[in-house]
Amino acid sequence: MDFAGSEPVVEEVRNAEGTAPGVKDWQEDLSQAPISTKIVVAGGFGVGKTTFVGSVSEIEPLTTEALMTQASEGEDDIAPTPEKTTTTVAMDFGRITLESDLVLYLFGTPGQQRFWFMWDDLVRGAIGAVVMADTRRLEDCFPALDYFESCGYPYVVAVNHFEGTTAYEAEDVREALSVPKRVPVVIMDARERPTVLKSLLALVSHALDVTPA
């Protein structure tokens, strides 16, 4: 979409070589335009989806966080995360460039049941999903697992290891969740960029393996 007055602004920020600061050569060469891919980050309430997206996004992530009020009492269980004061009411959005020819757009889903009606729209066009799990309440990720199994989307399970909680092996979590052997399970920390990248790479690789050429 073009905006009035946008071209002068672009020209103003370009450097002496004619390239905008921070813009790589391939980004200005339309013949080398990267492939853009959509990934969904799903899971239960308070599992760390917003943190996951924010940890790797190369742009300021878009979040739709709202303060939790009395209206959520009895609806959202904050016992495992008593410090949580906000919740996602629409989606989280971020972007990361894995390679010069591959850009991932991340869409985090809201975790509460009353917002599940949005999932069909959020997953449309995605190559797959990262389903996040919290070992303190594994049952919270069952709806997301059932959803992606039933609709046939490739997915991986990313176990978010919270500080102070027991560390489990990936295969132990697989057994507890009855996740099929074909689905990758990774242990990660949503605050740590390298482990989040590992989860995304696992999904991309899995999607390529199971998607017909």
Side-chain angles (χ1 to χ4, degrees), residues 3-185:
F3 295 93
S6 60
E7 292 186 0
V9 174
V10 172
E11 291 301 325
E12 185 176 332
V13 299
R14 292 180 181 276
N15 59 25
E17 286 72 32
T19 302
V23 175
K24 302 183 183 305
D25 292 341
W26 60 265
Q27 290 175 307
E28 295 217 326
D29 184 353
L30 295 182
S31 67
Q32 301 182 46
I35 298 172
S36 59
T37 301
K38 179 179 181 181
I39 286 177
V40 172
V41 183
F45 169 75
V47 76
K49 298 181 294 294
T50 300
T51 303
F52 182 104
V53 173
S55 292
V56 294
S57 181
E58 61 196 15
I59 62 173
E60 184 68 26
L62 167 67
T63 61
T64 54
E65 293 278 288
L67 286 174
M68 298 176 64
T69 64
Q70 290 182 341
S72 66
E73 291 184 5
E75 296 287 338
D76 304 323
D77 180 14
I78 64 170
T81 54
E83 72 285 353
K84 186 173 178 62
T85 59
T86 62
T87 185
T88 299
V89 295
M91 68 173 185
D92 300 311
F93 173 77
R95 184 191 73 199
I96 177 172
T97 303
L98 287 185
E99 296 289 347
S100 62
D101 59 350
L102 180 59
V103 177
L104 303 183
Y105 291 98
L106 310 180
F107 290 77
T109 68
Q112 302 95 316
Q113 184 175 356
R114 59 186 181 277
F115 297 128
W116 288 354
F117 69 91
M118 303 176 61
W119 284 21
D120 287 343
D121 290 329
L122 287 175
V123 304
R124 188 172 293 117
I127 65 164
V130 175
V131 177
M132 297 184 64
D134 179 350
T135 56
R136 298 170 297 179
R137 41 188 178 145
L138 285 176
E139 66 279 3
D140 287 2
C141 71
F142 285 146
L145 292 175
D146 291 342
Y147 180 89
F148 292 107
E149 273 289 337
S150 64
C151 65
Y153 275 88
Y155 69 93
V156 300
V157 176
V159 183
N160 191 13
H161 178 57
F162 286 82
E163 187 174 352
T165 62
T166 304
Y168 293 93
E169 296 295 328
E171 289 308 306
D172 293 333
V173 177
R174 179 190 302 280
E175 182 177 354
L177 293 174
S178 298
V179 174
K181 286 288 187 181
R182 57 181 168 77
V183 176
V185 177

